[in-house]
């Protein structure tokens, strides 16, 4: 039995004994702690950050729910298994869940939890003339083309005067983008990466690599173009049938994640130590990633963000990133 599992079992026993003794009425009894499977991406994905915090601090148990995280190795397995019913709740990309909804997958968008944060890293040795997004016109770009991060970043590129058809875009997974930018034999002048990876590139060789646009500037552009506060990247989806049958349980899941995110934002240095143990990333890299605004978490109800999420879909439909604008039934109603 792993140390983590032993820890969770121990906490449950303590919770039960305290409840049985009548101590700490805010602590749920064992009978009140329901299990729920939640699909998410495994490390090094930033989705795993909140898994590390919630499990490390037993925040789910405190909120009366036992979250069984199903950490998937790829986005394909994450979304396919959710659609197949392997787990009733999953985290993931807003656009992907909108597309699943359009294809007839019976789901609701439950909550948000991560804001858009993506970088365009320029190899300045290959292209010192690239100093703004519009300078990407006609250049060679390396990117994971199937990712929501890439698709969302192209919105900003279009808004900044980039003709996407002028780009020679080559498809790599994230590690491949970094390898292409580092390689003496590489040809791409810039690459799209996110989370810890842009921090690694810029930190290891600041003379060679630069982040073309700050997250702060991206946020300003989003507000200017959509008249909404936030560009949401990731959220929580729930199967329609499960949502109708388990409103109280979903409230506990949401409350647990909100407490997890709030604790991370208020205690970032301590939280990053837990994240580092799970992702195996150096603490300084994680700290700089957060300081640069490349990763931002904010848990709130999808219903409260309906306008901003809908704006994301509206600008994505013309590019084919979202096949059909979801109707109002896409949003789960009633979370506090």
């Amino acid at each position: 039995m792993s140390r983590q599992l032993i820890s969770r079992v121990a906490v449950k026993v303590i919770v039960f004994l305290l409840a049985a003794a009548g101590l700490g009425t805010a602590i749920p009894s064992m009978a009140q702690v329901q299990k729920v499977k939640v699909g998410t991406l495994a490390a090094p994905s930033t989705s795993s950050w909140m898994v590390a915090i919630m499990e490390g601090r037993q925040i789910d148990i405190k909120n009366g729910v036992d979250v069984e995280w199903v950490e998937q190795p790829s986005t394909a397995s994450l979304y396919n298994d959710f659609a197949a019913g392997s787990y009733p709740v999953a985290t993931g990309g807003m656009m992907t869940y909108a597309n699943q909804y359009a294809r007839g997958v019976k789901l609701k968008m439950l909550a948000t939890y991560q804001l858009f944060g993506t970088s365009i890293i320029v190899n300045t040795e290959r292209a010192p003339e690239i100093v703004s997004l519009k300078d990407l016109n006609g250049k060679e770009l390396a990117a994971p083309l199937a990712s929501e991060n890439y698709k969302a970043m192209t919105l900003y590129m279009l808004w900044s005067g980039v003709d996407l058809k002028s780009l020679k875009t080559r498809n790599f997974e994230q590690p491949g983008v970094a390898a292409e930018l580092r390689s003496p034999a590489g040809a791409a002048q810039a690459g799209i990466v996110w989370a810890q990876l842009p921090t690694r590139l810029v930190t290891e060789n600041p003379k060679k690599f630069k982040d073309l646009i700050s997250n702060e500037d991206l946020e300003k552009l989003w507000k200017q173009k959509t008249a909404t506060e936030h560009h949401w990247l990731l959220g929580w989806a729930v199967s329609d049938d499960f949502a109708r049958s388990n409103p109280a349980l979903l409230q506990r899941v949401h409350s647990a994640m909100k407490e997890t995110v709030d604790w991370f934002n208020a205690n970032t240095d301590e939280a990053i130590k837990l994240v580092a143990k799970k992702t195996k990333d150096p603490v300084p890299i994680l700290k700089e990633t957060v300081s640069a605004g490349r990763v931002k978490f904010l848990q709130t109800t999808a219903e409260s963000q309906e306008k901003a999420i809908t704006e994301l879909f509206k600008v994505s439909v013309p590019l084919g990133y979202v096949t059909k604008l979801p109707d109002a039934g896409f949003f789960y109603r009633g979370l506090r």
Side-chain angles (χ1 to χ4, degrees):
M1 186 180 292
S2 69
R3 288 185 179 180
Q4 187 177 72
L5 181 57
I6 292 171
S7 174
R8 289 181 71 80
V9 170
V11 168
K12 291 177 186 179
V13 171
I14 292 169
V15 164
F16 174 75
L17 292 174
L18 288 172
L23 300 175
T25 55
I27 300 175
S29 70
M30 288 294 285
Q32 293 172 315
V33 179
Q34 295 176 264
K35 287 188 175 183
V36 61
K37 283 187 177 182
V38 178
T40 197
L41 278 176
S45 167
T46 52
S47 296
S48 70
W49 291 27
M50 294 301 104
V51 176
I53 304 301
M54 184 180 287
E55 290 189 341
R57 296 185 59 81
Q58 302 291 311
I59 294 173
D60 53 339
I61 303 300
K62 176 184 174 183
N63 280 275
V65 60
D66 185 359
V67 174
E68 180 184 340
W69 293 99
V70 181
E71 297 182 71
Q72 295 280 26
S74 69
T75 54
S77 57
L78 171 66
Y79 298 125
N80 292 340
D81 284 4
F82 173 71
S86 298
Y87 29 78
V89 184
T91 70
M94 296 283 188
M95 287 190 279
T96 297
Y97 288 126
N99 284 329
Q100 286 196 336
Y101 185 79
R103 294 199 305 269
V105 177
K106 295 181 179 179
L107 63 83
K108 300 283 188 186
M109 204 71 223
L110 182 71
T112 70
Y113 84 96
Q114 189 169 336
L115 296 161
F116 177 71
T118 299
S119 298
I120 298 180
I121 300 298
V122 176
N123 183 318
T124 60
E125 294 177 353
R126 298 176 192 168
E129 71 278 10
I130 298 178
V131 296
S132 67
L133 288 179
K134 67 180 180 180
D135 296 327
L136 292 170
N137 276 307
K139 296 298 192 292
E140 185 164 328
L141 183 71
L145 302 188
S147 69
E148 292 205 20
N149 298 73
Y150 164 75
K151 294 171 183 176
M153 181 58 86
T154 62
L155 298 174
Y156 295 90
M157 292 162 65
L158 282 168
W159 288 337
S160 301
V162 177
D163 178 4
L164 298 181
K165 292 181 180 179
S166 77
L167 299 174
K168 182 181 178 182
T169 307
R170 300 175 61 197
N171 188 27
F172 296 89
E173 291 298 324
Q174 267 219 98
V177 174
E180 165 68 14
L181 291 175
R182 290 183 179 118
S183 173
Q189 290 104 342
I192 293 179
V193 286
W194 55 90
Q196 302 95 299
L197 197 46
T199 305
R200 283 183 176 275
L201 287 167
V202 173
T203 300
E204 74 182 30
N205 197 335
K207 291 184 178 180
K208 183 175 181 177
F209 299 117
K210 72 175 180 181
D211 202 337
L212 187 57
I213 184 168
S214 70
N215 192 66
E216 182 181 355
D217 287 336
L218 290 173
E219 289 178 347
K220 288 178 181 177
L221 189 53
W222 174 263
K223 292 174 184 178
Q224 175 190 336
K225 294 294 184 178
T226 70
T228 64
E229 183 71 14
H230 299 302
H231 176 173
W232 295 104
L233 180 70
L234 303 180
W236 294 69
V238 58
S239 73
D240 206 0
D241 289 343
F242 189 84
R244 285 198 300 270
S245 303
N246 297 276
L249 180 58
L250 289 176
Q251 180 62 57
R252 290 173 187 166
V253 171
H254 172 61
S255 297
M257 191 60 161
K258 187 176 187 309
E259 183 175 337
T260 300
V261 168
D262 289 349
W263 186 83
F264 176 91
N265 290 334
N267 304 274
T268 305
D269 287 350
E270 186 177 352
I272 280 174
K273 294 176 183 178
L274 293 174
V275 173
K277 290 179 181 178
K278 187 172 187 67
T279 66
K280 311 306 180 187
D281 287 295
V283 167
I285 292 293
L286 294 172
K287 282 187 176 182
E288 177 57 27
T289 297
V290 175
S291 296
R294 295 187 176 111
V295 175
K296 287 187 177 182
F297 298 100
L298 180 59
Q299 177 85 5
T300 187
T301 68
E303 181 182 11
S304 71
Q305 298 299 312
E306 184 171 352
K307 185 176 187 300
I309 295 169
T310 301
E311 284 300 316
L312 170 63
F313 298 154
K314 283 181 179 178
V315 297
S316 301
V317 167
L319 294 172
Y321 298 157
V322 173
T323 56
K324 181 182 178 183
L325 195 65
D327 57 33
F330 176 72
F331 296 92
Y332 182 86
R333 313 284 176 180
L335 279 182
R336 302 188 303 277

